[in-house]
Amino acid sequence: MTTAFADPKSLSHEELEEGTVFAPRFDAHGLITVVTIEEGTKDVLMVAHMNAETLALTLDTGIAHYWSRSRKAIWKKGETSGELQEVVELRTDCDQDCLVMTVRQTGRGAACHTGRKSCFYRSVETENGIAWLEDTGLPRLFDPKDVYGR
Amino acid sequence: MTTAFADPKSLSHEELEEGTVFAPRFDAHGLITVVTIEEGTKDVLMVAHMNAETLALTLDTGIAHYWSRSRKAIWKKGETSGELQEVVELRTDCDQDCLVMTVRQTGRGAACHTGRKSCFYRSVETENGIAWLEDTGLPRLFDPKDVYGR
């Protein structure tokens, strides 16, 4: 059975923020932002988007499914790389326009297409109005060329 | 001196993902998504947006400044409530269209306007195609009526 969601327009402000009705507020493109964190370490692995269909797929299968904005297609995370994400917990925020999903990262433990555990492998440094990036040293757990052929 | 950012269009795909040039990819509205996490616990406190001006303000002052999409104005987090956020670390993701900011939450430790530490105080539960929310029990650290007068 496909999980359905309530229409946020049917809720009062109080119900939206304090109630028990799940009414995800998809944006003008039908998408909601999802922050995916790793069980245990709580490291932020990636930030991506879901539409109503892939949110339902995620809830119904327990495996993360996103919406690929670049490919305009359902994106079952890890379908190509084997790095599936098993859903441990899903939370919504006060105004229900964002989700935080805790997952068990399978495979080699790499959520990022670059082969690293997390997409957030560079820090922003600044000095005297100049900003640059520094590698935080996250190792590559796979070679993207081997996995994606490019 | 106001920190300036490189134009992502000036970078190759390889430079964008593996390089040291910080070239935040603001969206069509001039905004970038920011996931704010707490130093130490790594709890996700909130998800918000910055434009180039508030990202520079954040880097230059060390205090989180967002862009309020509802008020269409600079949003110095905690200006009303006293719950300022001191920036500890800022990271960008592989394609530089998202940021993770680690902060020291000051004041009573409440990042959410509801008075709770985090905006993510409800979990999504499902059974037989029905989804609902459950309160995870985050206490209110202030009464919004006292702080915002509503």
Side-chain angles (χ1 to χ4, degrees), chain A residues 1 3-4 16-22 35 41-44 47 59 69 90-94 96-100 112-114 116 119-124 126 128-129 131-133 136 140, chain B residues 1 3-4 16-22 35 41-44 47 59 69 90-94 96-100 112-114 116 119-124 126 128-129 131-133 136 140:
Chain A
M1 188 181 286
T3 298
L16 189 74
E17 296 201 340
E18 299 294 336
T20 59
V21 176
F22 183 41
V35 179
T41 66
K42 293 159 83 175
D43 284 339
V44 177
V47 174
L59 289 169
R69 293 182 299 175
L90 187 69
R91 290 193 181 200
T92 189
D93 70 342
C94 42
Q96 302 203 38
D97 70 350
C98 186
L99 303 170
V100 168
C112 184
H113 75 287
T114 65
R116 297 173 176 93
C119 297
F120 296 89
Y121 49 84
R122 291 174 296 181
S123 65
V124 180
T126 57
N128 297 327
W132 69 95
L133 299 177
T136 61
R140 285 188 206 260
Chain B
M1 187 180 288
T3 298
L16 189 73
E17 296 203 339
E18 299 294 337
T20 59
V21 177
F22 183 40
V35 180
T41 67
K42 293 159 83 176
D43 285 338
V44 177
V47 174
L59 289 168
R69 293 182 300 174
L90 188 68
R91 290 193 182 200
T92 190
D93 70 341
C94 41
Q96 301 204 38
D97 70 351
C98 187
L99 303 170
V100 168
C112 183
H113 76 287
T114 66
R116 298 174 177 93
C119 297
F120 296 90
Y121 49 84
R122 289 175 296 180
S123 65
V124 180
T126 57
N128 297 327
W132 69 94
L133 299 177
T136 61
R140 285 187 205 262

Coordinates of all heavy atoms in Angstrom, one line a residue, chain A residues 1 3-4 16-22 35 41-44 47 59 69 90-94 96-100 112-114 116 119-124 126 128-129 131-133 136 140, chain B residues 1 3-4 16-22 35 41-44 47 59 69 90-94 96-100 112-114 116 119-124 126 128-129 131-133 136 140:
Chain A
M1 N 0.8 -1.2 0.0 CA 0.0 0.0 0.0 C 0.9 1.3 0.0 O 1.8 1.3 0.8 CB -0.9 0.0 1.3 CG -1.9 1.1 1.2 SD -2.9 1.1 2.7 CE -4.0 -0.4 2.4
T3 N 1.9 4.9 0.9 CA 1.6 5.8 1.9 C 1.2 7.2 1.3 O 1.9 7.7 0.3 CB 2.8 6.0 2.8 OG1 3.1 4.8 3.4 CG2 2.6 7.1 3.9
A4 N 0.1 7.7 1.7 CA -0.4 9.0 1.2 C -0.1 10.1 2.3 O 0.1 9.8 3.5 CB -1.9 8.9 0.9
L16 N 0.0 22.5 11.9 CA 1.2 22.2 11.1 C 2.4 22.0 12.0 O 3.3 21.1 11.9 CB 1.4 23.3 10.1 CG 2.5 23.1 9.1 CD1 2.1 22.1 8.0 CD2 2.9 24.4 8.4
E17 N 2.6 22.9 13.0 CA 3.8 22.9 13.9 C 3.7 22.1 15.1 O 4.8 21.6 15.6 CB 4.1 24.4 14.3 CG 4.4 25.3 13.1 CD 5.1 26.6 13.5 OE1 5.1 26.9 14.7 OE2 5.8 27.2 12.6
E18 N 2.5 21.8 15.6 CA 2.5 21.1 16.9 C 1.7 19.8 16.8 O 1.6 19.0 17.8 CB 1.9 22.0 18.0 CG 2.7 23.2 18.3 CD 4.1 22.9 18.9 OE1 4.3 21.8 19.5 OE2 5.0 23.8 18.7
G19 N 1.1 19.5 15.6 CA 0.1 18.4 15.5 C 0.8 17.1 15.2 O 2.0 17.0 15.0
T20 N 0.0 16.1 15.0 CA 0.4 14.7 14.6 C 0.1 14.4 13.2 O 0.4 13.3 12.8 CB -0.3 13.7 15.5 OG1 -1.7 13.8 15.3 CG2 0.0 13.9 17.0
V21 N -0.4 15.3 12.4 CA -0.7 15.1 11.0 C 0.6 15.3 10.2 O 1.1 16.5 10.2 CB -1.8 15.9 10.5 CG1 -2.0 15.7 9.0 CG2 -3.1 15.6 11.2
F22 N 1.0 14.3 9.4 CA 2.2 14.5 8.5 C 1.7 15.1 7.2 O 1.0 14.4 6.4 CB 2.9 13.2 8.3 CG 4.2 13.3 7.5 CD1 5.1 14.4 7.7 CD2 4.5 12.3 6.6 CE1 6.2 14.5 6.9 CE2 5.7 12.4 5.8 CZ 6.5 13.5 6.0
V35 N 17.8 16.0 4.5 CA 19.2 15.9 5.1 C 19.4 14.5 5.6 O 18.7 14.0 6.4 CB 19.4 16.9 6.3 CG1 20.8 16.8 6.8 CG2 19.0 18.3 5.8
T41 N 27.2 7.9 14.1 CA 28.1 9.0 14.1 C 27.3 10.4 13.9 O 27.9 11.4 14.3 CB 29.0 8.9 12.9 OG1 28.2 9.1 11.7 CG2 29.8 7.6 12.8
K42 N 26.1 10.3 13.4 CA 25.3 11.5 13.1 C 26.0 12.5 12.1 O 25.7 13.6 11.9 CB 25.0 12.3 14.4 CG 24.0 11.5 15.2 CD 24.0 11.9 16.7 CE 23.2 13.1 17.0 NZ 23.1 13.4 18.4
D43 N 27.0 11.9 11.3 CA 27.6 12.7 10.3 C 26.5 13.0 9.2 O 25.7 12.2 8.8 CB 28.7 11.9 9.6 CG 30.0 11.9 10.4 OD1 30.1 12.7 11.3 OD2 30.8 11.0 10.2
V44 N 26.6 14.3 8.7 CA 25.7 14.6 7.5 C 26.3 13.9 6.3 O 27.5 14.3 5.9 CB 25.6 16.1 7.3 CG1 24.7 16.4 6.1 CG2 24.9 16.8 8.6
V47 N 22.7 15.9 1.2 CA 21.4 16.7 1.2 C 20.9 16.5 -0.2 O 21.5 16.7 -1.2 CB 21.6 18.2 1.5 CG1 20.3 18.9 1.3 CG2 22.2 18.3 2.9
L59 N 9.4 5.4 2.6 CA 8.7 4.9 3.8 C 8.2 3.5 3.6 O 8.2 2.7 4.5 CB 7.5 5.9 4.1 CG 7.9 7.3 4.6 CD1 6.6 8.2 4.6 CD2 8.5 7.2 6.0
R69 N 17.1 15.7 -9.5 CA 16.7 16.9 -10.2 C 17.4 17.0 -11.6 O 16.9 17.6 -12.5 CB 17.0 18.2 -9.4 CG 16.1 18.3 -8.2 CD 16.4 19.5 -7.4 NE 17.8 19.6 -6.9 CZ 18.3 20.6 -6.3 NH1 17.6 21.7 -6.1 NH2 19.6 20.6 -5.9
L90 N 13.0 9.0 10.4 CA 12.7 10.2 9.6 C 12.1 11.2 10.5 O 11.2 10.9 11.3 CB 11.8 9.8 8.4 CG 11.5 10.9 7.4 CD1 12.8 11.1 6.6 CD2 10.4 10.4 6.5
R91 N 12.6 12.4 10.4 CA 11.9 13.5 11.2 C 11.6 14.7 10.3 O 12.2 14.9 9.2 CB 12.9 14.0 12.2 CG 13.2 13.0 13.4 CD 13.9 13.7 14.5 NE 14.2 12.8 15.6 CZ 14.4 13.1 16.8 NH1 14.5 14.4 17.2 NH2 14.7 12.2 17.8
T92 N 10.6 15.4 10.6 CA 10.2 16.6 9.9 C 10.4 17.8 10.8 O 10.5 17.7 12.0 CB 8.8 16.6 9.4 OG1 8.6 17.7 8.5 CG2 7.8 16.7 10.5
D93 N 10.5 19.0 10.2 CA 10.8 20.2 11.0 C 9.5 20.9 11.4 O 8.4 20.5 11.0 CB 11.8 21.1 10.3 CG 11.2 21.8 9.1 OD1 10.2 21.3 8.6 OD2 11.8 22.8 8.7
C94 N 9.6 22.0 12.1 CA 8.5 22.8 12.6 C 7.4 23.1 11.5 O 6.2 22.8 11.7 CB 8.9 24.0 13.3 SG 10.2 25.0 12.5
Q96 N 7.3 21.7 8.5 CA 7.1 20.6 7.6 C 7.6 20.8 6.2 O 7.0 20.3 5.2 CB 5.7 20.0 7.7 CG 5.3 19.6 9.1 CD 4.1 18.6 9.1 OE1 4.1 17.7 8.3 NE2 3.2 18.7 10.1
D97 N 8.6 21.6 6.0 CA 9.2 21.8 4.6 C 10.6 21.2 4.5 O 11.3 21.6 3.5 CB 9.1 23.3 4.2 CG 10.1 24.2 4.9 OD1 10.7 23.7 5.9 OD2 10.3 25.3 4.5
C98 N 11.0 20.4 5.4 CA 12.3 19.8 5.4 C 12.3 18.5 6.2 O 11.5 18.4 7.2 CB 13.3 20.8 5.9 SG 15.0 20.3 5.8
L99 N 13.1 17.5 5.8 CA 13.2 16.3 6.5 C 14.6 16.0 6.9 O 15.6 16.4 6.2 CB 12.7 15.1 5.6 CG 11.3 15.3 5.0 CD1 11.0 14.2 4.0 CD2 10.3 15.2 6.2
V100 N 14.8 15.3 8.0 CA 16.1 14.8 8.4 C 15.9 13.2 8.5 O 15.0 12.8 9.2 CB 16.6 15.3 9.8 CG1 17.8 14.5 10.2 CG2 17.0 16.8 9.6
C112 N 28.6 9.6 -1.1 CA 28.9 10.6 -2.1 C 29.4 9.9 -3.4 O 30.1 8.9 -3.4 CB 30.0 11.6 -1.6 SG 30.4 12.9 -2.8
H113 N 29.0 10.5 -4.6 CA 29.4 9.9 -5.8 C 30.9 10.0 -6.1 O 31.4 9.3 -7.0 CB 28.6 10.6 -7.0 CG 29.1 11.9 -7.3 ND1 28.9 13.0 -6.5 CD2 29.8 12.4 -8.4 CE1 29.5 14.1 -7.1 NE2 30.1 13.7 -8.2
T114 N 31.6 10.8 -5.3 CA 33.0 10.9 -5.5 C 33.7 9.7 -4.8 O 35.0 9.6 -4.8 CB 33.6 12.2 -4.9 OG1 33.4 12.2 -3.5 CG2 32.9 13.4 -5.5
R116 N 33.5 9.2 -1.5 CA 33.7 9.5 -0.1 C 32.5 9.2 0.8 O 31.4 9.1 0.2 CB 34.1 10.9 0.1 CG 35.4 11.3 -0.6 CD 35.6 12.8 -0.5 NE 36.9 13.3 -1.1 CZ 37.1 13.7 -2.3 NH1 36.0 13.7 -3.2 NH2 38.2 14.2 -2.7
C119 N 29.3 13.9 1.3 CA 29.5 14.9 0.3 C 30.2 16.1 0.9 O 30.7 17.0 0.1 CB 28.2 15.4 -0.3 SG 27.3 14.1 -1.1
F120 N 30.3 16.2 2.2 CA 30.8 17.5 2.8 C 32.3 17.2 3.3 O 32.6 17.1 4.4 CB 29.9 17.9 4.0 CG 28.5 18.3 3.5 CD1 27.5 17.3 3.4 CD2 28.3 19.6 3.1 CE1 26.3 17.7 2.9 CE2 27.0 19.9 2.7 CZ 26.0 19.0 2.5
Y121 N 33.1 17.1 2.3 CA 34.5 16.7 2.5 C 35.5 18.0 2.5 O 36.7 17.8 2.6 CB 35.0 15.6 1.6 CG 34.7 15.9 0.1 CD1 35.5 16.7 -0.7 CD2 33.5 15.3 -0.5 CE1 35.2 16.9 -2.0 CE2 33.2 15.6 -1.8 CZ 34.0 16.4 -2.6 OH 33.7 16.6 -3.9
R122 N 34.9 19.1 2.2 CA 35.7 20.4 2.2 C 35.2 21.4 3.1 O 34.0 21.7 3.2 CB 35.8 20.9 0.8 CG 36.6 20.0 -0.2 CD 36.5 20.5 -1.6 NE 35.1 20.5 -2.1 CZ 34.7 20.8 -3.3 NH1 35.6 21.3 -4.2 NH2 33.5 20.8 -3.7
S123 N 36.1 22.1 3.8 CA 35.7 23.2 4.7 C 36.0 24.5 4.1 O 36.9 24.6 3.2 CB 36.4 23.1 6.1 OG 37.8 23.3 5.9
V124 N 35.2 25.5 4.4 CA 35.4 26.9 3.9 C 36.3 27.6 4.9 O 36.0 27.7 6.1 CB 34.0 27.6 3.8 CG1 34.2 29.0 3.2 CG2 33.1 26.8 2.9
T126 N 38.5 31.4 5.5 CA 38.5 32.8 5.1 C 39.6 33.5 5.8 O 40.0 33.2 6.9 CB 37.2 33.5 5.4 OG1 36.9 33.4 6.8 CG2 36.0 32.9 4.6
N128 N 40.9 37.9 5.5 CA 40.9 39.2 4.8 C 40.1 39.2 3.6 O 40.5 39.7 2.5 CB 42.4 39.5 4.4 CG 43.2 39.7 5.7 OD1 42.8 40.1 6.7 ND2 44.5 39.3 5.5
G129 N 38.8 38.7 3.7 CA 37.9 38.8 2.6 C 38.1 37.8 1.4 O 37.5 37.9 0.4
A131 N 38.0 33.8 0.5 CA 37.5 32.5 0.9 C 38.0 31.4 0.0 O 38.2 31.6 -1.2 CB 35.9 32.5 0.9
W132 N 38.3 30.3 0.6 CA 38.8 29.1 -0.2 C 38.4 27.8 0.5 O 37.9 27.8 1.7 CB 40.3 29.2 -0.4 CG 41.1 28.9 0.9 CD1 41.7 27.8 1.3 CD2 41.5 29.9 1.9 NE1 42.3 27.9 2.5 CE2 42.2 29.2 2.9 CE3 41.3 31.3 2.0 CZ2 42.8 29.9 4.0 CZ3 41.8 31.9 3.2 CH2 42.5 31.2 4.1
L133 N 38.6 26.7 -0.1 CA 38.2 25.4 0.4 C 39.5 24.6 0.8 O 40.5 24.7 0.1 CB 37.4 24.6 -0.6 CG 36.1 25.3 -1.1 CD1 35.5 24.4 -2.2 CD2 35.2 25.5 0.1
T136 N 39.1 18.1 4.0 CA 39.1 17.7 5.4 C 39.7 16.3 5.6 O 39.8 15.7 6.7 CB 37.7 17.7 6.0 OG1 36.9 16.8 5.3 CG2 37.1 19.1 6.0
R140 N 38.6 8.2 -0.1 CA 37.7 7.6 -1.1 C 37.6 6.2 -0.8 O 38.6 5.4 -0.7 CB 38.3 7.8 -2.5 CG 38.2 9.2 -3.0 CD 38.6 9.2 -4.5 NE 39.0 10.5 -4.9 CZ 38.3 11.4 -5.6 NH1 37.1 11.1 -5.9 NH2 38.8 12.6 -6.0
Chain B
M1 N 36.3 44.0 5.7 CA 36.3 43.6 4.2 C 35.2 42.5 4.0 O 35.2 41.6 4.7 CB 37.7 43.2 3.8 CG 37.8 42.9 2.3 SD 39.5 42.4 1.9 CE 40.4 43.9 2.1
T3 N 33.7 39.4 2.3 CA 34.2 38.2 1.6 C 33.4 38.1 0.3 O 32.2 38.1 0.3 CB 34.1 37.0 2.4 OG1 34.9 37.1 3.6 CG2 34.5 35.7 1.7
A4 N 34.1 37.9 -0.8 CA 33.5 37.7 -2.1 C 33.7 36.2 -2.5 O 34.5 35.5 -2.0 CB 34.2 38.6 -3.1
L16 N 35.1 22.3 -9.6 CA 34.0 22.5 -8.7 C 34.0 21.5 -7.6 O 33.8 21.8 -6.4 CB 32.7 22.5 -9.5 CG 31.4 22.9 -8.7 CD1 31.3 24.4 -8.5 CD2 30.1 22.4 -9.5
E17 N 34.2 20.2 -8.0 CA 34.1 19.1 -7.0 C 35.4 18.8 -6.2 O 35.3 18.2 -5.1 CB 33.6 17.8 -7.8 CG 32.2 18.0 -8.4 CD 31.5 16.7 -8.6 OE1 32.2 15.6 -8.7 OE2 30.3 16.7 -8.7
E18 N 36.5 19.1 -6.8 CA 37.8 18.6 -6.2 C 38.7 19.8 -5.8 O 39.7 19.6 -5.2 CB 38.5 17.6 -7.0 CG 37.7 16.3 -7.3 CD 37.4 15.5 -6.0 OE1 38.2 15.6 -5.1 OE2 36.5 14.7 -6.0
G19 N 38.3 21.0 -6.3 CA 39.2 22.1 -6.2 C 39.2 22.9 -4.8 O 38.5 22.5 -3.9
T20 N 40.0 23.9 -4.8 CA 40.0 24.7 -3.6 C 39.3 26.1 -3.7 O 39.3 26.9 -2.8 CB 41.5 25.0 -3.2 OG1 42.1 25.7 -4.3 CG2 42.3 23.7 -2.9
V21 N 38.7 26.3 -4.9 CA 38.0 27.6 -5.1 C 36.5 27.4 -4.5 O 35.8 26.5 -4.9 CB 37.9 27.9 -6.6 CG1 37.1 29.2 -6.8 CG2 39.3 28.1 -7.1
F22 N 36.2 28.3 -3.6 CA 34.8 28.3 -3.1 C 33.9 29.1 -4.0 O 34.1 30.4 -4.1 CB 34.8 28.9 -1.7 CG 33.5 28.9 -1.0 CD1 32.6 27.8 -1.1 CD2 33.1 30.0 -0.2 CE1 31.4 27.8 -0.4 CE2 31.9 29.9 0.5 CZ 31.0 28.9 0.4
V35 N 22.5 23.6 6.3 CA 22.1 22.7 7.4 C 22.9 23.1 8.6 O 24.2 23.1 8.5 CB 22.4 21.2 7.0 CG1 22.0 20.3 8.2 CG2 21.7 20.8 5.7
T41 N 27.3 17.6 19.9 CA 26.3 16.6 19.8 C 26.1 16.3 18.3 O 25.5 15.2 18.0 CB 24.9 17.1 20.3 OG1 24.5 18.2 19.5 CG2 25.1 17.6 21.8
K42 N 26.4 17.2 17.4 CA 26.1 17.1 15.9 C 24.6 17.0 15.6 O 24.2 16.5 14.6 CB 26.9 15.9 15.4 CG 28.4 16.1 15.4 CD 29.2 14.9 15.3 CE 29.4 14.4 13.9 NZ 30.3 13.2 13.8
D43 N 23.8 17.3 16.6 CA 22.3 17.4 16.3 C 22.0 18.4 15.2 O 22.6 19.5 15.2 CB 21.5 17.8 17.5 CG 21.4 16.7 18.6 OD1 21.6 15.5 18.2 OD2 21.2 17.0 19.8
V44 N 21.2 18.0 14.3 CA 20.7 19.0 13.3 C 19.8 19.9 14.0 O 18.7 19.5 14.5 CB 20.0 18.3 12.1 CG1 19.5 19.4 11.1 CG2 20.9 17.3 11.4
V47 N 17.4 23.9 9.3 CA 17.8 24.1 7.9 C 17.2 25.4 7.4 O 16.0 25.6 7.6 CB 17.2 22.9 7.0 CG1 17.6 23.1 5.5 CG2 17.8 21.6 7.5
L59 N 30.4 34.7 7.4 CA 31.9 34.4 7.4 C 32.6 35.6 8.1 O 33.6 35.4 8.8 CB 32.4 34.2 6.0 CG 31.9 32.9 5.4 CD1 32.2 32.8 3.9 CD2 32.6 31.7 6.1
R69 N 13.1 33.9 3.9 CA 12.3 33.8 2.6 C 11.0 34.4 2.9 O 10.4 35.0 2.0 CB 12.2 32.4 2.1 CG 13.6 31.9 1.6 CD 13.4 30.5 1.1 NE 12.9 29.5 2.1 CZ 12.6 28.3 1.8 NH1 12.7 27.8 0.6 NH2 12.2 27.5 2.8
L90 N 32.3 25.7 8.7 CA 31.4 25.7 7.5 C 32.0 24.7 6.5 O 33.2 24.7 6.2 CB 31.3 27.1 7.0 CG 30.3 27.3 5.9 CD1 28.9 27.2 6.4 CD2 30.4 28.7 5.2
R91 N 31.1 23.9 6.0 CA 31.6 22.9 4.9 C 30.6 23.1 3.7 O 29.5 23.4 3.8 CB 31.5 21.5 5.4 CG 32.6 21.2 6.4 CD 32.7 19.7 6.6 NE 33.7 19.3 7.6 CZ 34.2 18.1 7.7 NH1 33.9 17.2 6.9 NH2 35.1 17.9 8.7
T92 N 31.2 22.8 2.5 CA 30.3 22.7 1.3 C 30.3 21.3 0.8 O 31.2 20.5 1.1 CB 30.8 23.8 0.3 OG1 29.8 23.8 -0.8 CG2 32.1 23.4 -0.4
D93 N 29.4 21.0 -0.1 CA 29.3 19.7 -0.6 C 29.9 19.6 -2.0 O 30.5 20.6 -2.5 CB 27.8 19.2 -0.6 CG 27.0 19.9 -1.7 OD1 27.4 21.0 -2.1 OD2 25.9 19.4 -2.0
C94 N 29.9 18.4 -2.5 CA 30.6 18.1 -3.8 C 30.4 19.1 -4.9 O 31.3 19.6 -5.5 CB 30.4 16.6 -4.2 SG 28.6 16.1 -4.1
Q96 N 28.8 22.0 -4.5 CA 28.8 23.4 -3.9 C 27.4 24.0 -4.0 O 27.3 25.2 -4.2 CB 29.9 24.3 -4.6 CG 31.3 23.7 -4.4 CD 32.4 24.8 -4.4 OE1 32.2 25.9 -4.0 NE2 33.5 24.4 -5.0
D97 N 26.4 23.2 -3.9 CA 25.0 23.9 -3.8 C 24.4 23.7 -2.4 O 23.1 23.9 -2.3 CB 24.1 23.4 -4.9 CG 23.7 21.9 -4.8 OD1 24.2 21.2 -3.9 OD2 22.8 21.5 -5.5
C98 N 25.2 23.4 -1.4 CA 24.6 23.2 -0.1 C 25.8 23.4 0.9 O 26.9 23.1 0.6 CB 24.0 21.8 0.0 SG 23.2 21.5 1.5
L99 N 25.4 23.8 2.1 CA 26.4 24.1 3.2 C 26.0 23.3 4.4 O 24.8 23.2 4.7 CB 26.5 25.6 3.5 CG 26.9 26.5 2.3 CD1 26.7 27.9 2.7 CD2 28.3 26.2 1.8
V100 N 27.0 22.9 5.2 CA 26.7 22.4 6.5 C 27.5 23.3 7.5 O 28.7 23.4 7.3 CB 27.1 20.9 6.7 CG1 27.1 20.5 8.2 CG2 26.2 20.0 6.0
C112 N 15.1 26.6 17.5 CA 13.8 26.7 16.9 C 12.9 27.8 17.5 O 12.9 28.0 18.7 CB 13.1 25.3 17.0 SG 11.4 25.2 16.2
H113 N 12.1 28.4 16.6 CA 11.2 29.5 17.1 C 10.1 29.0 18.1 O 9.5 29.8 18.7 CB 10.6 30.2 15.9 CG 9.4 29.4 15.3 ND1 9.7 28.3 14.5 CD2 8.1 29.6 15.4 CE1 8.5 27.8 14.1 NE2 7.5 28.6 14.6
T114 N 9.9 27.6 18.1 CA 9.0 27.1 19.1 C 9.6 27.0 20.5 O 8.9 26.5 21.4 CB 8.5 25.7 18.6 OG1 9.6 24.8 18.7 CG2 7.9 25.7 17.2
R116 N 12.2 25.1 21.2 CA 13.0 23.8 21.3 C 14.4 24.0 20.8 O 14.6 24.8 19.9 CB 12.2 22.7 20.6 CG 10.8 22.4 21.1 CD 10.1 21.4 20.3 NE 8.8 21.0 20.7 CZ 7.7 21.5 20.4 NH1 7.7 22.6 19.5 NH2 6.5 21.1 20.8
C119 N 14.6 22.2 15.3 CA 13.3 22.2 14.6 C 12.8 20.8 14.4 O 11.6 20.6 14.0 CB 13.5 22.9 13.3 SG 13.9 24.7 13.4
F120 N 13.6 19.8 14.5 CA 13.3 18.4 14.2 C 12.8 17.7 15.4 O 13.5 16.8 15.9 CB 14.4 17.8 13.4 CG 14.7 18.5 12.1 CD1 15.6 19.5 12.0 CD2 14.0 18.1 10.9 CE1 15.8 20.2 10.8 CE2 14.2 18.7 9.7 CZ 15.1 19.8 9.7
Y121 N 11.7 18.0 16.0 CA 11.2 17.5 17.2 C 10.1 16.5 17.0 O 9.6 15.9 18.0 CB 10.7 18.6 18.2 CG 9.8 19.6 17.6 CD1 8.4 19.3 17.5 CD2 10.3 20.8 17.0 CE1 7.6 20.3 16.9 CE2 9.4 21.7 16.4 CZ 8.1 21.4 16.4 OH 7.2 22.3 15.8
R122 N 9.8 16.1 15.8 CA 8.8 15.1 15.5 C 9.3 14.1 14.5 O 9.9 14.4 13.5 CB 7.5 15.8 14.9 CG 6.7 16.6 15.9 CD 5.6 17.3 15.3 NE 6.0 18.3 14.3 CZ 5.2 19.1 13.6 NH1 3.9 19.0 13.8 NH2 5.7 19.9 12.8
S123 N 9.0 12.8 14.8 CA 9.4 11.7 13.9 C 8.2 11.3 13.1 O 7.0 11.5 13.5 CB 10.0 10.6 14.6 OG 9.0 10.0 15.5
V124 N 8.4 10.8 11.9 CA 7.4 10.3 11.0 C 7.2 8.8 11.2 O 8.2 8.1 11.2 CB 7.8 10.6 9.5 CG1 6.7 10.0 8.6 CG2 8.0 12.0 9.2
T126 N 4.8 5.3 10.3 CA 3.9 4.7 9.3 C 3.4 3.3 9.6 O 4.2 2.6 10.2 CB 4.6 4.7 7.9 OG1 5.7 3.9 7.9 CG2 4.9 6.0 7.3
N128 N 0.7 0.5 7.4 CA -0.4 0.2 6.5 C -0.8 1.4 5.6 O -2.0 1.6 5.4 CB -1.6 -0.4 7.2 CG -1.3 -1.7 7.9 OD1 -0.5 -2.5 7.4 ND2 -1.9 -1.9 9.0
G129 N 0.2 2.1 5.1 CA -0.1 3.2 4.2 C -0.6 4.5 4.9 O -0.9 5.5 4.3
A131 N 0.6 7.6 7.5 CA 1.7 8.2 8.1 C 1.3 9.3 9.1 O 0.2 9.9 8.9 CB 2.6 8.9 7.0
W132 N 2.0 9.4 10.2 CA 1.6 10.4 11.2 C 2.9 10.8 11.9 O 4.0 10.2 11.7 CB 0.6 9.8 12.2 CG 1.1 8.8 13.1 CD1 1.6 8.9 14.4 CD2 1.2 7.4 12.9 NE1 2.0 7.7 14.9 CE2 1.7 6.7 14.0 CE3 0.9 6.5 11.8 CZ2 2.0 5.4 14.1 CZ3 1.1 5.2 11.8 CH2 1.6 4.6 13.0
L133 N 2.8 11.8 12.8 CA 4.0 12.4 13.5 C 3.9 12.0 15.0 O 2.8 12.1 15.6 CB 4.0 13.9 13.3 CG 4.2 14.4 11.9 CD1 4.1 15.9 11.8 CD2 5.4 13.9 11.2
T136 N 9.1 13.7 19.7 CA 10.2 13.0 20.2 C 10.6 13.4 21.6 O 11.5 12.9 22.2 CB 11.5 13.1 19.3 OG1 11.8 14.5 19.3 CG2 11.2 12.6 17.9
R140 N 10.7 22.5 25.6 CA 10.7 23.9 25.2 C 11.7 24.6 26.2 O 11.4 24.6 27.4 CB 9.3 24.5 25.3 CG 8.4 24.2 24.2 CD 7.2 25.0 24.3 NE 6.1 24.3 23.6 CZ 5.6 24.6 22.4 NH1 6.2 25.5 21.7 NH2 4.6 23.9 21.9

